[in-house]
Amino acid sequence: MKKVLIFGFIFCLLIAATACGDAQQDPTQVVPATDEVSALLPGADIFYGLIVADMGDTLLVTENKTNGKTAGLYTLPEKYMDETQDKSKLVPGTYITLHYNGTVIETYPARFELTESFTCDETKEDLVTPILRFVLANVPDSAQWLALDLTGIADLSDGEREAVCYLAENKLADKCGIVRYDPQQFTAEELLTAENSPENGAVLAVDGQLENGKLTGTWRLTDTQQVTEGEWETAIVYYLN
């Protein structure tokens, strides 16, 4: 029974990841709405967000919630920035305050309807870019799907984790699918060896923490043939206000 559950888990995640990749192979383009659903958020005309990627004329942002937690991904055209603001702040790691009409278009990433303007607030370290770069550099050539575990990276919000997976999926759309999984549910070996599980898969688990302007930690790559481990370190860009 557990093997069936594991396979179903992988299959559903791969379907979702593939659908996302097909729709957004170019992450700089917002997919035109077809069967859109507008969700009315009562009284929610101010959105507090965090820029996680600059995609040309469009920003990828996630919601900034209390205690530094974030969730969900949204696209936001740069043209809606308040004209009194400094455009040099439109970089990953910048918090924003957006005024809009309270309606969100439920595409993926979601979009704001009737956006008024947004302003930039304080700035923190950009963690998404270096982690994404590390993930892309460590995807096995033979992997057709990669389960990604970033839960061990301290100071990384849920929204930033989602952004890494989303951006990686777009970058690797023609190569392999990216899925997230909870290591508390299944081990890497269970995901890879479950009966009827898709072939040529791998699991990449990355741990890390901020230390003196650098991300340092360890990584573990598991496929059906072997387990490879190592340490990693990368500098973090911090944009001063």
Side-chain angles (χ1 to χ4, degrees):
M1 175 62 75
K2 189 171 184 180
K3 289 183 177 180
V4 174
L5 290 175
I6 294 172
F7 171 66
F9 177 79
I10 299 174
F11 180 77
C12 291
L13 286 178
L14 284 174
I15 291 296
T18 301
C20 177
D22 290 343
Q24 292 276 347
Q25 289 189 16
D26 182 356
T28 66
Q29 300 298 318
V30 176
V31 176
T34 52
D35 298 325
E36 296 176 344
V37 177
S38 295
L40 184 62
L41 305 180
D45 58 357
I46 297 180
F47 172 86
Y48 298 101
L50 171 69
I51 299 175
V52 290
D54 184 348
M55 305 186 299
D57 294 331
T58 302
L59 302 170
L60 184 67
V61 301
T62 186
E63 187 175 359
N64 175 37
K65 294 187 176 180
T66 58
N67 300 320
K69 297 294 184 180
T70 57
L73 294 178
Y74 305 80
T75 54
L76 178 62
E78 291 185 0
K79 67 181 181 180
Y80 292 116
M81 182 181 189
D82 188 287
E83 60 183 12
T84 65
Q85 294 282 290
D86 181 0
K87 289 190 174 182
S88 66
K89 288 190 174 183
L90 294 180
V91 293
T94 297
Y95 291 101
I96 64 167
T97 299
L98 168 69
H99 294 268
Y100 70 112
N101 76 334
T103 302
V104 173
I105 306 300
E106 293 184 344
T107 52
Y108 186 77
R111 294 183 290 124
F112 300 97
E113 189 175 51
L114 299 180
T115 302
E116 296 179 15
S117 65
F118 70 91
T119 56
C120 293
D121 304 317
E122 69 271 16
T123 305
K124 73 175 191 68
E125 296 90 347
D126 170 23
L127 301 180
V128 171
T129 301
I131 295 173
L132 174 64
R133 187 182 302 119
F134 178 82
V135 169
L136 295 176
N138 286 277
V139 177
D141 293 335
S142 60
Q144 295 183 10
W145 62 273
L146 179 73
L148 191 56
D149 174 19
L150 303 177
T151 57
I153 300 181
D155 303 310
L156 193 67
S157 69
D158 292 341
E160 288 171 305
R161 290 189 183 94
E162 184 176 352
V164 172
C165 293
Y166 170 76
L167 294 168
E169 174 66 24
N170 279 280
K171 292 286 187 180
L172 299 171
D174 297 328
K175 180 179 180 180
C176 73
I178 300 292
V179 297
R180 287 178 293 164
Y181 87 104
D182 184 353
Q184 300 299 320
Q185 292 182 313
F186 310 114
T187 67
E189 289 75 11
E190 286 175 331
L191 287 176
L192 294 168
T193 61
E195 185 178 355
N196 297 323
S197 65
E199 296 182 355
N200 299 323
V203 178
L204 178 62
V206 186
D207 296 333
Q209 58 281 320
L210 281 171
E211 293 182 353
N212 300 320
K214 295 181 180 180
L215 262 177
T216 60
T218 61
W219 57 272
R220 179 184 177 94
L221 180 66
T222 307
D223 59 28
T224 55
Q225 301 298 320
Q226 63 183 355
V227 176
T228 307
E229 298 177 310
E231 297 181 353
W232 71 296
E233 178 180 289
T234 184
I236 298 298
V237 175
Y238 179 79
Y239 298 93
L240 296 177
N241 290 319

